Amino acid sequence: MASQSSNKKRPNKSKKRSRFDSEEFERINSLPWNSTISEEDDAFSFLIGSNDVEGGGFLSLEEIDESEYNLDIAKPSGGSEKKGKTTPKKQKLDTKNEELNDEAKGESKEDTEEVEKDTKQKKNKKKKQKKKKDKINKDAVNKAEGNEESAAVTDENDDREQDSVDETEYYAWNELRLHPLLMKSIYALKFKEPTPIQKMCIPAAAHQGKDVVGAAETGSGKTLAFGLPILQRLLEEREKAERQLTENGEMDEKVAPTGLLRALIITPTRELALQVTDHLKEAARHSNFRVVPIVGGMSSEKQERLLRTRPEIVVGTPGRLWELMSGGEIHLVELHSVSFFVLDEADRMIENGHFHELQSIVDMLPMASKSTDGDSQKTHNCETVSSVQRKKRQTFVFSATIALSADFRKKLKRGSQKSKANDELNSIETLSERAGMRADAAIIDLTNASILANKLEESFIDCSEEDKDGYLYYILSVHGQGRTIVFCTSIAALHHISSLLRILGVNIWTLHAQMQQRARLKAIDRFRSNEHGILIATDVAARGLDIPGVRTVIHYQLPHSAEVYVHRSGRTARAHSDGCSIALITPNDTSKFAALCKSFSKENFQRFPLEMSYMPEVMKRLSLARQIDKISRKDSQDKAKKNWLERNAESMGLILEDNDSEEERVNNHKRKKTTSAQLNKLQEELKILLSRPLQPKTFSKRYLAGAGVSPLLQHQLEELAKQKNPNNSGDVKRKKLMVIGQDCVEPLQALRSAGPQANFNLKGIAEKRKDVNELRRKRKETKKRMREQRRKQKKKLQAGKE
Ligand SMILES: Nc1ncnc2c1ncn2[C@@H]1O[C@H](COP(=O)(O)OP(=O)(O)OP(=O)(O)O)[C@@H](O)[C@H]1O
């Protein structure tokens, strides 16, 4: 349905653009291509983007605002652009026509005069061309950068920075033959070497023009693995077109078309789209390609204004993209120019809530298979376009967990490209095929058997449902170093623990899908800016979020699938860092956890080391916090109920009568007073407890424990311990000596020091489960037998009575 509606909107535009399109595409096809990219794949080398936007700058707290992009976007005047505003190309043509008319009027002038004029013009033209050629050859870099004052300032800084760059340190990038402007960005990012997925993807995508299915662990640099090839090809195309125009002496005659949409990147979440945008802007900062995010939760008018700047690269979420596309947003429906289509976190895209819009978007992409001979003008145009497009659009499908869909991989390896009768894009395979993925796509799967990030250490704490909150508080307070993300599966659980933690004085931020977009971005921003920040989030934060310094991920509730577990845990141990994850496992979770371990081919998970002497104090505080929470909740529920009643009564013009008797009123008042006194008392008690360090009374064998120990004291204690055991220089023992106190030891350190203390034994669990199943079966059989016996006895009794 959706795609039909979109198709309805397209014929008009197609009619208006049909001549232009076919002319342009004829020209595209006639352009030669450089040796590194196959002729077939060189789609839009005629493009010379008018890139006047400075990249860089993360979209942070406020709504997307064009001012953040240093854009001076003209408000639409008079007829809307959608109705076919005069393009620069058309303006140029009009001017040319006027010139021709003028020339015709001047026919009466003498021939000699005309010849002189002609020669003069030719001379001027040659001069101009030479000047331009020199300029291009002299400084291609400056040419691409010199559009904005702000860009110039940044570039000046970058140039200064680049002067101090020792390029030999970046030699590992050499073999990837990236454009100097991209290398300049890489120097600025200080990425000394490409990550393995980048090493594999860039040659295949940028130089061989292949479609790519990429799978690599979380935080392994997949964004640039598809981002750099896109930018590389766009840069090469632009330069080639410029060179060719200069060589043909057409620089003056041909006007670069205003930016066409060249790359469409789709991500499952808004935060991820903003992050990918930011990342690509950093990579494109010297090449001047415009990258714009199109996501829900923000003003669509502003986004439409951003799109009117005709960015070459759009990164968006399916919902808002489709909303604008189906509304006929001109930049987004001109998909014939899209040469790069990316599905980031592809496996998430096919999940419920995403694929309908995605399917509609994919169906908008020009594909030869969708055209039929008998169709309208629009179809004819699409066919012209698609015959170019089918060969030339590159499709990239990326995810850390795509390899979990082994079926997809196998099929692609076999090169199966048969179109499915299936109309729904409910598998990555169908989705990729419909998006135009070619049979010879490069499959780059760098995930290991466990799919989990290499530098991630995983652990678990088995506890009762009752003690879960206590253990969470324990980890956050005893091991509060570095950033921590706590994942919940439900928003109710998120509210529950965030309320408790706030009462316990733990500084946290929350993130879930029911929050306003502005609040979501604010939470991320604040979390990002706090070195020891704690974020309590649902799975909306599970995918793609790249926040440096996340040291620990806690699974407060286990996720529903192995994929989500991988992505959640992948918020730590990113790029070259390490990190750890801790899963809180209650008896109800055991079999789910065992299944998870199995899907990662992991026999053992490490048990997180706990210093049990902390627990009495932890539980005391928690008990008080729970009581406070219960009273406060009841109070706010009562208030909300009263407000609701009052609001409704007011809206209906009614006056609420207080029907309570005097006695009831007095009792209510007394009850309120008692509750308030009780609340104050509990809060006071908790305050006293919180003012004391969370300190165990005894010293453990392994740890010298002391809450609130300053780094200096910690160091002195360690030195003291060394002096006491001068002979004991064995590394193993020294490693185990650790001083722990609040905010002293991060979980990863505690985990490493503990060694493989205890493991989650899958075999044991399987056996236990077997035993339990056997027990259940026997119990069932006994029950059945007893039922049978009772029935027989009943029958006998009835027969006796008769
Ligand atoms: N060559 C490189 N050297 C060092 N760091 C890099 C390199 N490439 C990318 N990074 C950094 O690594 C981090 C992770 O990159 P990115 O977000 O692209 O990972 P990802 O594989 O897409 O992760 P996820 O699967 O979780 O989405 C980012 O902070 C990025 O800046």
Side-chain angles (χ1 to χ4, degrees):
M1 266 304 282
S3 66
Q4 276 170 7
S5 69
S6 66
N7 286 342
K8 271 179 206 161
K9 296 187 186 279
R10 285 160 68 186
N12 294 339
K13 277 163 221 137
S14 304
K15 263 182 201 167
K16 273 171 205 158
R17 301 182 57 82
S18 60
R19 255 196 65 204
F20 170 77
D21 283 343
S22 47
E23 277 170 20
E24 287 304 320
F25 280 98
E26 265 174 43
R27 199 153 64 79
I28 302 161
N29 273 342
S30 70
L31 285 171
W33 180 237
N34 77 19
S35 56
T36 55
I37 300 175
S38 69
E39 187 89 27
E40 277 197 349
D41 292 319
D42 176 18
F44 290 90
S45 42
F46 68 95
L47 286 176
I48 305 172
S50 57
N51 304 296
D52 44 13
V53 184
E54 220 262 290
F58 188 75
L59 282 160
S60 56
L61 305 184
E62 303 311 318
E63 284 189 338
I64 295 177
D65 194 325
E66 53 271 37
S67 62
E68 289 177 46
Y69 293 82
N70 296 329
L71 296 175
D72 184 16
I73 303 166
K75 297 259 190 300
S77 59
S80 102
E81 207 176 326
K82 285 178 193 174
K83 285 175 188 162
K85 214 176 162 183
T86 320
T87 60
K89 169 114 185 164
K90 191 166 179 296
Q91 278 170 9
K92 184 80 188 175
L93 285 174
D94 289 344
T95 328
K96 257 185 113 184
N97 285 340
E98 274 168 33
E99 278 170 15
L100 284 173
N101 289 340
D102 288 344
E103 268 177 44
K105 279 178 205 161
E107 265 174 13
S108 58
K109 289 189 180 172
E110 286 175 29
D111 281 357
T112 42
E113 241 181 66
E114 251 189 337
V115 171
E116 263 178 34
K117 201 178 155 192
D118 228 35
T119 336
K120 223 178 180 180
Q121 271 179 350
K122 272 181 189 167
K123 268 186 186 170
N124 279 341
K125 206 167 145 187
K126 266 191 181 172
K127 257 187 194 172
K128 266 188 191 172
Q129 281 168 7
K130 196 176 175 296
K131 237 182 181 179
K132 275 192 179 151
K133 204 173 173 179
D134 283 352
K135 209 176 161 213
I136 291 165
N137 292 341
K138 202 176 167 189
D139 197 353
V141 175
N142 285 345
K143 189 175 186 303
E145 293 168 350
N147 285 339
E148 278 196 17
E149 220 174 281
S150 56
V153 176
T154 324
D155 295 338
E156 225 173 78
N157 292 340
D158 286 349
D159 283 345
R160 238 176 277 140
E161 233 174 64
Q162 211 193 345
D163 284 346
S164 62
V165 168
D166 178 3
E167 289 181 22
T168 54
E169 285 183 37
Y170 295 80
Y171 72 94
W173 288 94
N174 291 351
E175 64 187 78
L176 299 183
R177 291 181 289 127
L178 285 175
H179 193 282
L181 292 178
L182 295 181
M183 282 315 296
K184 220 177 151 187
S185 304
I186 286 165
Y187 299 147
L189 287 165
K190 298 193 170 57
F191 292 166
K192 296 278 159 66
E193 53 178 334
T195 63
I197 186 84
Q198 291 163 0
K199 237 183 237 172
M200 304 277 290
C201 276
I202 293 170
H207 304 309
Q208 292 164 25
K210 287 200 167 197
D211 291 347
V212 176
V213 180
E217 64 182 52
T218 49
S220 57
K222 291 187 286 295
T223 312
L224 287 189
F226 63 75
L228 288 173
I230 292 175
L231 293 169
Q232 170 79 13
R233 290 188 69 113
L234 288 178
L235 276 165
E236 284 179 357
E237 283 173 9
R238 186 165 73 188
E239 283 190 349
K240 190 162 192 64
E242 284 174 356
R243 253 196 326 271
Q244 199 166 12
L245 290 178
T246 316
E247 275 162 20
N248 296 346
E250 292 168 348
M251 209 57 171
D252 285 351
E253 330 257 308
K254 309 250 170 175
V255 174
T258 49
L260 291 176
L261 180 60
R262 307 302 318 287
L264 183 60
I265 299 166
I266 308 190
T267 71
T269 67
R270 298 162 183 182
E271 286 78 8
L272 187 52
L274 298 177
Q275 187 182 288
V276 169
T277 306
D278 188 48
H279 212 18
L280 293 185
K281 274 183 178 178
E282 276 175 22
R285 68 197 295 200
H286 301 289
S287 8
N288 259 345
F289 291 114
R290 282 165 294 194
V291 192
V292 157
I294 298 296
V295 295
M298 292 171 170
S299 149
S300 35
E301 286 76 31
K302 278 186 182 175
Q303 297 193 335
E304 277 172 331
R305 277 213 294 282
L306 277 178
L307 287 171
R308 259 171 241 148
T309 66
R310 306 184 76 76
E312 290 84 356
I313 303 173
V314 165
V315 187
T317 45
R320 176 56 60 86
L321 275 175
W322 178 241
E323 188 188 317
L324 294 177
M325 278 176 168
S326 53
E329 164 51 54
I330 194 153
H331 195 59
L332 292 180
V333 294
E334 287 174 344
L335 294 178
H336 59 275
S337 58
V338 172
S339 291
F340 309 95
F341 182 65
V342 184
L343 292 170
D344 195 12
E345 306 290 354
D347 48 346
R348 173 79 180 91
M349 296 290 193
I350 54 166
E351 285 171 25
N352 223 353
H354 282 285
F355 67 79
H356 285 305
E357 285 127 341
L358 188 62
Q359 177 172 319
S360 311
I361 295 169
V362 167
D363 286 346
M364 287 273 283
L365 293 169
M367 295 285 287
S369 57
K370 277 187 261 159
S371 312
T372 52
D373 291 341
D375 263 354
S376 61
Q377 168 78 32
K378 177 217 105 209
T379 315
H380 170 74
N381 289 331
C382 271
E383 238 166 9
T384 317
V385 168
S386 64
S387 61
V388 177
Q389 204 57 51
R390 187 161 40 102
K391 287 180 282 175
K392 304 192 172 180
R393 189 175 61 238
Q394 272 181 277
T395 308
F396 300 117
V397 171
F398 275 75
S399 174
T401 43
I402 212 165
L404 286 174
S405 164
D407 214 26
F408 170 69
R409 225 165 49 200
K410 260 188 259 159
K411 281 189 180 149
L412 270 177
K413 267 187 185 148
R414 269 192 258 125
S416 121
Q417 278 290 293
K418 270 176 246 151
S419 269
K420 290 252 155 145
N422 187 1
D423 266 353
E424 300 251 294
L425 302 180
N426 50 9
S427 77
I428 305 173
E429 177 203 2
T430 337
L431 177 65
S432 312
E433 280 180 17
R434 284 270 281 273
M437 180 155 284
R438 290 164 289 187
D440 64 343
I443 316 281
I444 301 172
D445 177 9
L446 301 183
T447 47
N448 55 29
S450 85
I451 313 259
L452 292 153
N454 252 332
K455 290 189 171 171
L456 173 75
E457 301 237 359
E458 282 159 296
S459 64
F460 72 98
I461 294 174
D462 47 350
C463 55
S464 65
E465 198 66 55
E466 182 73 8
D467 293 343
K468 217 176 184 184
D469 300 337
Y471 285 117
L472 176 65
Y473 177 58
Y474 166 88
I475 302 166
L476 296 178
S477 5
V478 176
H479 302 292
Q481 287 272 311
R483 293 190 184 98
T484 305
I485 305 184
V486 180
F487 279 105
C488 299
T489 310
S490 71
I491 295 183
L494 179 145
H495 286 318
H496 163 75
I497 54 163
S498 44
S499 165
L500 281 183
L501 290 171
R502 280 191 180 120
I503 294 171
L504 286 163
V506 182
N507 198 11
I508 53 148
W509 291 282
T510 54
L511 180 68
H512 58 83
Q514 281 174 10
M515 280 163 68
Q516 296 241 326
Q517 189 57 31
R518 192 185 282 251
R520 275 163 70 163
L521 292 176
K522 237 175 217 173
I524 292 178
D525 216 53
R526 291 195 175 151
F527 175 59
R528 195 188 285 271
S529 61
N530 189 317
E531 207 188 328
H532 305 294
I534 298 167
L535 183 73
I536 317 283
T538 57
D539 289 325
V540 75
R543 291 225 180 211
L545 263 197
D546 181 54
I547 297 173
V550 174
R551 306 291 302 144
T552 315
V553 165
I554 301 174
H555 303 271
Y556 177 78
Q557 289 175 310
L558 278 187
H560 294 308
S561 70
E563 281 94 336
V564 180
Y565 180 89
V566 174
H567 287 285
R568 278 181 177 187
S569 300
R571 295 318 96 210
T572 184
R574 297 178 70 71
H576 302 298
S577 314
D578 47 16
C580 92
S581 81
I582 307 167
L584 297 172
I585 311 291
T586 65
N588 285 341
D589 298 321
T590 326
S591 49
K592 202 176 182 184
F593 192 56
L596 271 182
C597 297
K598 211 171 166 190
S599 49
F600 304 138
S601 323
K602 279 212 161 196
E603 292 257 312
N604 294 314
F605 259 53
Q606 199 180 335
R607 197 182 293 272
F608 188 80
L610 296 165
E611 186 50 62
M612 295 311 283
S613 48
Y614 278 98
M615 290 321 282
E617 182 68 18
V618 164
M619 289 323 228
K620 228 191 267 177
R621 292 180 183 191
L622 192 67
S623 159
L624 288 173
R626 278 181 178 151
Q627 291 175 59
I628 294 169
D629 186 43
K630 200 173 165 189
I631 295 172
S632 320
R633 242 172 233 270
K634 173 93 181 49
D635 192 41
S636 55
Q637 269 167 6
D638 287 348
K639 273 185 192 149
K641 201 170 152 189
K642 201 175 158 211
N643 286 346
W644 183 84
L645 271 174
E646 278 171 3
R647 259 202 323 276
N648 277 298
E650 201 181 286
S651 68
M652 291 163 82
L654 301 172
I655 297 165
L656 275 182
E657 273 185 23
D658 192 355
N659 290 330
D660 290 349
S661 66
E662 186 59 32
E663 196 186 337
E664 273 172 326
R665 263 205 297 273
V666 171
N667 281 346
N668 271 348
H669 183 69
K670 270 188 191 165
R671 213 177 304 133
K672 266 188 194 164
K673 231 177 153 182
T674 325
T675 318
S676 160
Q678 202 185 351
L679 190 64
N680 283 344
K681 196 174 153 248
L682 290 169
Q683 280 170 337
E684 250 339 282
E685 258 181 77
L686 183 62
K687 202 172 157 192
I688 294 167
L689 288 188
L690 291 179
S691 68
R692 295 204 301 247
L694 188 68
Q695 189 175 20
K697 297 215 165 51
T698 53
F699 291 104
S700 84
K701 272 181 264 155
R702 275 185 304 109
Y703 306 119
L704 264 175
V709 178
S710 70
L712 179 67
L713 183 56
Q714 181 175 342
H715 178 71
Q716 284 171 346
L717 283 169
E718 277 173 348
E719 287 302 313
L720 197 71
K722 266 187 223 166
Q723 281 169 20
K724 278 197 168 183
N725 299 303
N727 300 331
N728 185 6
S729 58
D731 266 345
V732 184
K733 287 216 166 161
R734 201 142 17 118
K735 241 190 215 168
K736 288 193 173 180
L737 172 74
M738 192 182 356
V739 180
I740 59 168
Q742 287 175 70
D743 300 333
C744 278
V745 177
E746 68 172 64
L748 182 64
Q749 201 182 336
L751 200 55
R752 281 183 179 157
S753 309
Q757 197 185 31
N759 290 322
F760 187 79
N761 188 348
L762 260 184
K763 270 185 199 157
I765 285 192
E767 267 161 30
K768 257 190 210 166
R769 216 187 310 161
K770 229 184 193 173
D771 290 348
V772 170
N773 286 345
E774 186 66 15
L775 211 74
R776 274 193 196 142
R777 198 182 54 79
K778 278 184 183 165
R779 215 182 287 160
K780 229 176 173 178
E781 272 177 12
T782 323
K783 270 188 185 171
K784 205 175 162 189
R785 244 197 335 269
M786 287 187 40
R787 258 203 315 271
E788 202 62 24
Q789 273 177 2
R790 272 203 300 271
R791 209 164 45 87
K792 276 180 188 167
Q793 272 177 355
K794 224 175 171 181
K795 260 188 180 174
K796 261 187 196 170
L797 271 173
Q798 271 176 353
K801 272 181 193 172
E802 280 165 13

